[in-house]
Amino acid sequence: MSYDNTVNQAARAELERRRKLAEETARQNLEDFLLRCPRAGEIRRELAANAAGAARAVVSGGKVREEMERRRERGLTLRREYEDLLREHGLTRQDLEPRYTCPICRDTGFAEGGPCSCYKALRRSLAYKQLSAELPLSECTFEGFSLKYYQGDPAAYERMSSILKSCREYAENFRESSPNLLFWGGTGLGKTHLSLAIANAAIAKGFGVVYGSAQRFAVALERERFDRDGGPGGGTSESLKECDLLILDDLGTEFSSAYSNAAVYDVVNARLMARRPAIISTNLGLSGLEERYGERFTSRIAGNYALLGFMGKDVRIQKIKS
Ligand SMILES: [Zn+2]
């Protein structure tokens, strides 16, 4: 999978930040220790001199074996004393060494002659974030979803209470093989709010989530289609197909073209084949979807998505009125 340069650069910058932080912290810890315990500094200098002396003894000849043995013993004694001093100060040797986020590559991003898995994970999450940048994720929680706007209509209230409960359960139990959901209903009934609340919960559990409007994704796909000759693509299509959970908001409001309709089908179908869950919200009913994306697409949705019909009066308008 290829990413655009901003993602690669951001991933490398993040690795460098982690590496420097780990090394700086270790350096600081050592400095503090030597300040509190001057004897430790002496030992470190003596150990270095001892090792250099051993090297000189080999070169100069003479009683090399005796000299080496004496220095080895001395080295052991010094190291033991150093360990005791560390313990006295409540430290271990690891405390004075850099604690890398990824011990495999020591936060360099490279291991065993190729990119480390931490670097790949970082690029993936940054690409998802970049793709998802537009929506107010933090504002959309289950706690912030109020049923009072549905109280005027008992049927709507009952329906929305049950949808809220289902969404909470879905979020709590979210896993890679969770089912697909189709939220449909008029504007302002909370479809985006609840799908983002699920996204929040899944992200908190460490899943890779891409969320955004169909319009945004359509624009990104269209742009990459024309940029294809100019270097590596942005990986939008791969991200949409490969993330753990895709939230496709407002399907049907994107600018319609044969290309974007085919791209939507391609993404939805690829995820079904790979059994990766998606939550699609739309104002269009099944007949509207069929009219727009064709019978093949709609039958895939009808057969593989749990349909949740949102009811009520436009919450946004009620909020403005009150
Ligand atoms: Zn690594």
Side-chain angles (χ1 to χ4, degrees):
M1 170 157 173
S2 62
Y3 295 97
D4 69 11
N5 272 333
T6 55
V7 168
N8 290 331
Q9 274 162 13
R12 281 197 294 268
E14 172 60 15
L15 282 174
E16 192 178 327
R17 190 193 65 78
R18 291 176 182 176
R19 198 169 61 240
K20 284 196 167 151
L21 181 67
E23 286 166 2
E24 180 55 27
T25 307
R27 202 192 56 74
Q28 194 67 50
N29 287 347
L30 175 63
E31 207 170 89
D32 290 351
F33 173 52
L34 296 182
L35 213 61
R36 285 191 292 149
C37 179
R39 174 66 192 141
E42 286 169 28
I43 295 177
R44 290 173 70 92
R45 281 189 293 278
E46 208 183 315
L47 272 169
N50 194 49
R56 264 199 311 278
V58 173
V59 176
S60 63
K63 292 182 175 171
V64 175
R65 193 179 297 167
E66 286 88 338
E67 180 62 10
M68 291 299 282
E69 183 55 27
R70 197 186 64 77
R71 288 190 181 269
R72 199 185 63 83
E73 288 287 340
R74 182 66 189 141
L76 279 175
T77 310
L78 286 168
R79 261 187 288 271
R80 237 174 271 133
E81 192 189 346
Y82 190 75
E83 297 281 336
D84 289 342
L85 288 171
L86 279 173
R87 216 171 303 120
E88 275 168 34
H89 287 81
L91 293 167
T92 64
R93 222 183 308 172
Q94 285 80 17
D95 291 324
L96 305 183
E97 278 160 18
R99 289 205 174 173
Y100 296 107
T101 306
C102 175
I104 300 167
C105 69
R106 302 164 70 85
D107 296 345
T108 60
F110 291 94
E112 289 167 5
C116 182
S117 58
C118 74
Y119 179 59
K120 291 185 198 165
L122 196 53
R123 284 199 304 184
R124 208 179 306 125
S125 74
L126 285 167
Y128 291 173
K129 222 167 149 186
Q130 192 184 49
L131 203 51
S132 309
E134 108 223 73
L135 290 168
L137 194 61
S138 55
E139 292 164 27
C140 295
T141 60
F142 288 115
E143 292 69 32
F145 189 85
S146 174
L147 283 167
K148 75 173 178 190
Y149 298 105
Y150 306 89
Q151 270 165 346
D153 173 353
Y157 184 79
E158 197 182 319
R159 170 73 62 83
M160 293 311 295
S161 304
S162 128
I163 285 180
L164 175 59
K165 186 166 173 275
S166 306
C167 288
R168 270 184 187 275
E169 284 168 5
Y170 183 93
E172 272 162 30
N173 302 320
F174 183 79
R175 58 193 190 286
E176 270 128 342
S177 57
S178 279
N180 302 297
L181 306 178
L182 181 77
F183 292 173
W184 75 275
T187 308
L189 297 181
K191 300 188 300 294
T192 302
H193 188 128
L194 286 182
S195 58
L196 291 188
I198 293 173
N200 257 324
I203 289 169
K205 287 182 176 184
F207 289 102
V209 181
V210 170
Y211 57 92
S213 66
Q215 169 65 16
R216 185 184 174 92
F217 297 148
V219 168
L221 287 167
E222 192 83 27
R223 193 170 45 223
E224 277 168 32
R225 173 190 178 205
F226 289 107
D227 285 352
R228 196 133 294 169
D229 302 331
T236 298
S237 173
E238 288 88 345
S239 291
L240 293 176
K241 290 174 186 172
E242 291 171 7
C243 59
D244 297 322
L245 173 62
L246 172 67
I247 311 267
L248 189 53
D249 202 34
D250 260 345
L251 183 66
T253 59
E254 75 280 11
F255 179 74
S256 181
S257 71
Y259 178 76
S260 70
N261 291 354
V264 166
Y265 179 83
D266 184 39
V267 166
V268 168
N269 195 49
R271 295 191 67 86
L272 283 175
M273 304 290 276
R275 297 182 183 283
R276 294 193 183 107
I279 300 175
I280 297 178
S281 72
T282 181
N283 292 350
L284 304 172
L286 286 178
S287 57
L289 287 175
E290 186 168 334
E291 213 171 283
R292 167 114 185 207
Y293 301 100
E295 193 252 324
R296 193 168 60 134
F297 175 81
T298 311
S299 73
R300 298 291 274 151
I301 296 282
N304 295 285
Y305 278 65
L307 308 190
L308 286 89
F310 282 55
M311 290 172 71
K313 282 193 198 141
D314 192 327
V315 170
R316 274 170 254 175
I317 290 176
Q318 290 189 63
K319 280 183 181 167
I320 292 166
K321 279 185 180 165
S322 67

